[in-house]
Amino acid sequence: MRRCAVALLGQRARRRWLHLIVGGALFMPFWMVGSVVVGALLGAGGLFTGSLAVQFGAYAVGLPLVAVAALFPLARPMSVAAARALCGVPADRYADGPAQGPEARARTAGWFTLHLGAGALVSGATLALPPFAASVMALPFSPALRESELGRLWGLDRPWWSWAALPAGLLMLLALAAAAAGTGALLAVQAPRLLGPSPADRLAAAERRAAEAESRNRLARELHDSVGHALSAVTLQAGAARRVLDGGAGADLAFVREALTAIEETTRRTVGELDWVLGLLRQDEQGGEAEEAQEGGAGGPGPGPGLDALESLVRGAGPRVALTLSGDLAPVPEALSREAYRIVQEGLTNAARHAGGEPVSVRLDARTEEWEISMENPLPARPPVARPNGGRGLRGIGERARLLGGTAEAGPADGVWRLVVRIPR
């Protein structure tokens, strides 16, 4: 008994009933147009005539109009929003956005027609049946009601109604609740089929997820390269300065001053880069295009550091890093300049971790059809200890090079660790 009561009048059943009433309310304009048309054809006159022929004729005329209205772009988002809130079907089983393609539009039209058509019938019954059922249940207690004109019209003045009226009224209300629950369950079954994603919707959703993943990966790579390099460079310079100061009175204060200056310059530059990356992140959260932000679009952060900041980057890496530039760097595109900066930055980070303070050489050659970025540093005396989450640096360099159509190679060669990146101009 309790399960039947929950199925007919529980929270889910009440929500679905409300969903049907919303459909009935949306059907009213179409029904009114149908009433005018059918009334004119039958000569009934009047919009709210009591003729059942006009009312059901208006219903039949309104259904095709509903199907046509469902072809408009707003129909599916509106239907999905109502169904998600009231149908009791998991939200991920619905499609998002306007219907794309004939098949999706046809399914949307089918759903809209089913929802509004069934909603009109259930709404009409909900408005008409409870007052009638209440009047029937009041018959045994109201002689005036039994003898009224309405009572005689419906045959309610007959003696046997005195004992059958109360259960009959209750059965009417129970039948209404069962009809509403059954119709709501039917809509819940059909909602994923008619409002669910089509193959085109699934493809668009997969493309959106891929774009979001790429955006997150790019931002993570920017943060890793910028902050990771800064921390490595600052740690290296601070450690070198401490070792010099530990030497006592004969400490090389000029070297300490130079190390502190490099720390200051690195941290100042990194704060600017961090602001730029966070600007990209904020714009992504606001729904803006990350690429527009990267290109300095209106209202977005300016472009990130490029080759013009390369000398500052090398100075911050310490006095034992040598930079050699060959060729004309002026006509380099902004995207290539930015990626070349990040590649050098990550290469210096790896050298700072593994070179043990030995000299590091950085060369940029722009004299041929290919841009070549090469870095060399002595191999460490002992192989570096593998980190559980390590290896992102060289992988990030390879990803940047491939995005520009180039290649990246790294490994021991001739007693040194060599990184070579070639990018077509």
Side-chain angles (χ1 to χ4, degrees):
M1 182 65 70
R2 181 179 178 183
R3 293 179 64 181
C4 291
V6 170
L8 295 180
L9 297 172
Q11 183 181 24
R12 185 171 64 178
R14 294 197 305 271
R15 284 175 175 269
R16 290 175 176 174
W17 200 338
L18 177 60
H19 186 236
L20 289 166
I21 292 175
V22 169
L26 291 174
F27 186 76
M28 280 299 296
F30 304 97
W31 178 83
M32 293 174 69
V33 172
S35 296
V36 172
V37 173
V38 175
L41 291 176
L42 298 180
L47 183 62
F48 297 102
T49 178
S51 170
L52 289 178
V54 172
Q55 301 225 7
F56 282 103
Y59 178 82
V61 171
L63 289 178
L65 299 179
V66 169
V68 173
L71 301 178
F72 287 91
L74 187 61
R76 190 169 75 171
M78 181 180 68
S79 298
V80 166
R84 274 184 173 146
L86 300 173
C87 258
V89 177
D92 58 356
R93 300 190 66 185
Y94 295 103
D96 290 315
Q100 303 293 332
E103 186 262 346
R105 292 192 184 96
R107 289 194 294 123
T108 302
W111 167 261
F112 205 56
T113 306
L114 176 63
H115 178 207
L116 271 63
L121 296 177
V122 172
S123 297
T126 302
L127 289 173
L129 193 56
F132 180 73
S135 300
V136 168
M137 288 188 290
L139 284 175
F141 314 102
S142 175
L145 184 61
R146 291 195 300 272
E147 297 170 1
S148 67
E149 183 178 351
L150 182 63
R152 288 194 299 273
L153 175 66
W154 288 94
L156 302 180
D157 56 343
R158 297 173 184 175
W160 57 273
W161 267 112
S162 298
W163 58 267
L166 190 61
L170 291 175
L171 283 175
M172 292 178 194
L173 295 178
L174 184 62
L176 174 62
T183 308
L186 172 65
L187 288 182
V189 170
Q190 296 300 324
R193 299 176 183 174
L194 299 177
L195 293 179
S198 64
D201 294 323
R202 293 189 182 94
L203 179 60
E207 291 175 349
R208 284 195 301 271
R209 288 193 296 269
E212 291 170 0
E214 172 60 25
S215 177
R216 288 194 298 269
N217 290 338
R218 183 171 51 81
L219 291 172
R221 189 166 59 237
E222 296 287 348
L223 282 171
H224 171 267
D225 290 353
S226 177
V227 178
H229 168 77
L231 292 175
S232 297
V234 166
T235 301
L236 180 64
Q237 297 295 335
R242 178 185 55 77
R243 286 193 295 271
V244 169
L245 289 176
D246 286 344
D252 185 355
L253 295 182
F255 179 86
V256 174
R257 188 178 296 108
E258 188 174 355
L260 293 176
T261 301
I263 290 173
E264 180 184 4
E265 189 169 339
T266 298
T267 53
R268 185 184 296 115
R269 184 186 66 252
T270 304
V271 167
E273 294 181 17
L274 187 59
D275 286 342
W276 174 73
V277 175
L278 292 178
L280 290 181
L281 182 60
R282 283 192 294 270
Q283 192 159 43
D284 278 354
E285 289 176 347
Q286 294 167 2
E289 292 294 335
E291 289 300 323
E292 290 180 6
Q294 245 187 332
E295 294 299 331
L307 292 177
D308 54 343
L310 196 58
E311 294 184 0
S312 172
L313 174 67
V314 171
R315 282 198 306 272
R320 310 206 72 176
V321 179
L323 173 65
T324 304
L325 302 175
S326 302
D328 185 10
L329 303 182
V332 176
E334 186 177 282
L336 178 55
S337 175
R338 204 164 47 233
E339 297 303 318
Y341 176 91
R342 291 300 189 195
I343 288 170
V344 173
Q345 185 180 54
E346 185 54 43
L348 290 175
T349 302
N350 285 341
R353 290 194 184 115
H354 305 309
E358 295 297 322
V360 178
S361 64
V362 181
R363 288 191 296 273
L364 276 75
D365 192 345
R367 294 175 297 181
T368 64
E369 292 300 319
E370 279 190 329
W371 250 68
E372 183 175 291
I373 304 171
S374 61
M375 303 181 65
E376 293 182 0
N377 59 267
L379 289 170
R382 291 184 301 174
V385 178
R387 294 170 292 149
N389 297 318
R392 294 190 184 94
L394 293 177
R395 187 164 62 245
I397 290 175
E399 289 173 358
R400 291 181 185 277
R402 284 191 295 273
L403 285 174
L404 297 172
T407 61
E409 300 175 0
D414 301 328
V416 297
W417 179 270
R418 181 175 296 156
L419 167 67
V420 180
V421 178
R422 296 183 177 87
I423 302 170
R425 300 184 67 177

